[in-house]
Amino acid sequence: MPADSKDTPEKTFTLTNDQTGESVKLPVVEGTYGPHCIDIRSLHKTTGHFTLDPSFTATGSCKSKITYIDGEEGILLHRGYNIKELAKESTYLETCYLLLYGELPKKQELEEFKGHITNHTMIHEQIKAVYQGFRRDAHPMAIMCGVIGTMASFYHDSLDIWDPEQRRISAHRLIAKVPTLAAMAMKYSKGQPYVHPRNDLSFTENFLHMCFSVPAEEYKLRPPVVRAMERILILHADHEQNASTSTVRLAGSSQANPMACIASGITSLWGPAHGGANQAVLEMLDEIGHKDNIPEFIERAKDKEDPFRLMGFGHRVYKNFDPRAEVMKESCDEVLAELGIDDPQLELAMELEKIALNDPYFKDRKLFPNVDFYSGIILKAMGFPVEMFTVLFAVSRTAGWISQWKEMMEGNSLKIGRPRQLYTGAPERPYVPIKKRK
Ligand code: SDX
């Protein structure tokens, strides 16, 4: 029976200084699953030492009940529910509720939640002016960084982070309004008029409607496409303490308002090593162009002197298949079949995957396709411009970010996150006037 997640002081880890022989006992804390943790909070006080773990490869930043990833087995759980079951059976809004409140909603609870979200999908009319400040060819992620931060200047009534009711309203506003703002970013870049949300549509139908309808013609909602979009939103909703979620938590630890925290998550997600990878995969497939060129790019990906990496491959935690990539691949086949698209990039991607997974370099390093490897192919087939791919990731991950922020705010002590360092710079030295500098 897995230990419940509590501090077990009787379990300790002894560290010994081999130079002085001094030892220190540190408590071991156990979770429901996953590696036990050595609680090092007393380490500096008792030994005068820090730990050093650049990029946090082996450092737990918090306790959390929201998501668990078993990287070796390729398992992803949200509040104990397997992502493959959620992708198959659930909806994005139901998954949002689960992430926020810890349980699958009863029918009435889900209807109420849907009502809250639906009633917050419209944005303040003046926010439209913010978009005018961007060039039409601005990357939509640049627009999202700006407009999400701007939300703090429009929704003053829900920024008190110590008031649970205002935290609830902010969470609902963000989940509801980020899709509207994302669709507006897409319309702005196309020079098309914004499309207002419709309360008679589901969350996902409404998002596709706002992205693709035009005044002259309503977007035709096709169930397989809506289902694929729903699945993509579910698959990207949360993922433990990834770079952007850790950014949100760190911003929140300074007591910044939730809109500012989510804006910080968006900036971190933008990077091609993280959420920007879905755009980078399509650009990489374009660059490869033909399967005959794959061996050259595989060699480049292995060459340490070459900055080229196989985008959509590898993961800090998954050392097996990313379960989301498997679901994404199934959706890919369905959507392309539904739309009657025979996308050569999908064949190229599958050939690249086959060759890479048979190459010792990738096998030895357990570099498998991740969530971003196939998502871009589906999104392109749906008609999204490649620059919107990471924005769609942000639309989905807003639920995870705000759930993790909420969990942190509900904790029993909000301490500002403030990592230390190993200083390797110059020793103290006197100032040299410019006349005396050689
Ligand atoms: C996401 O953290 C999350 O949970 C993120 C995410 C989420 O839902 O929030 O899952 C979403 O960001 C998915 C990842 C998307 N990024 C990419 O697809 C970009 C390509 N992948 C790499 O940049 C890389 O794999 C990372 C950034 C994803 C992970 O990097 P790590 O864990 O720091 O691994 P590493 O750089 O230490 O690599 C270990 C070895 C190195 O070689 P050696 O030094 O051992 O010889 O593997 C090599 C790396 O050079 N390597 C790759 C590679 N990824 C790692 N070599 C070629 N191509 C790659 N893609």
Side-chain angles (χ1 to χ4, degrees), residues 2 41 62 257 404 425:
R41 280 175 283 192
C62 63
N257 73 69
Q404 299 266 352

Side-chain angles (χ1 to χ4, degrees), residues 157-305:
D157 64 341
S158 62
L159 295 185
D160 178 354
I161 61 173
W162 307 113
D163 177 350
E165 179 57 8
Q166 292 194 33
R167 292 202 298 260
R168 182 191 67 79
I169 294 170
S170 278
H172 292 177
R173 275 188 167 136
L174 282 158
I175 291 171
K177 295 182 192 302
V178 166
T180 306
L181 297 168
M184 288 170 66
M186 181 166 151
K187 287 300 189 185
Y188 185 75
S189 65
K190 287 171 167 239
Q192 291 180 353
Y194 305 133
V195 176
H196 290 299
R198 273 180 44 187
N199 291 355
D200 61 319
L201 298 176
S202 74
F203 178 93
T204 304
E205 290 170 338
N206 181 46
F207 180 58
L208 290 170
H209 157 69
M210 294 190 291
C211 288
F212 294 111
S213 289
V214 287
E217 189 176 344
E218 189 82 359
Y219 173 68
K220 183 173 177 301
L221 291 161
R222 298 184 199 191
V225 174
V226 174
R227 187 77 207 128
M229 188 76 245
E230 192 90 48
R231 222 173 268 166
I232 288 171
L233 292 171
I234 293 170
L235 291 173
H236 289 81
D238 192 54
H239 214 238
E240 283 191 5
Q241 307 311 317
N242 56 84
S244 54
T245 298
S246 299
T247 304
V248 170
R249 278 183 174 258
L250 200 53
S253 75
S254 76
Q255 302 173 24
N257 73 69
M259 312 305 181
C261 294
I262 299 305
S264 75
I266 289 180
T267 57
S268 171
L269 185 75
W270 194 355
H274 190 13
N278 50 21
Q279 172 175 343
V281 166
L282 262 288
E283 289 164 352
M284 174 186 72
L285 291 173
D286 275 345
E287 193 184 356
I288 294 173
H290 189 277
K291 64 181 180 179
D292 295 347
N293 303 328
I294 290 175
E296 172 211 335
F297 282 85
I298 293 272
E299 289 315 305
R300 282 188 57 193
K302 300 192 283 195
D303 176 1
K304 300 302 172 199
E305 302 307 312

Side-chain angles (χ1 to χ4, degrees), residues 239 273-274 304 310 312-313 315-316 324 361 365 370 397:
H239 214 238
H274 190 13
K304 300 302 172 199
L310 220 45
F313 263 78
H315 198 279
R316 172 61 58 77
R324 303 168 298 175
Y361 174 93
R365 290 166 180 79
N370 58 50
R397 187 56 57 89

Side-chain angles (χ1 to χ4, degrees), residues 412-425:
N412 46 24
S413 71
L414 181 70
K415 279 178 79 68
I416 190 162
R418 206 282 187 208
R420 302 306 299 268
Q421 63 170 22
L422 178 69
Y423 177 68
T424 57

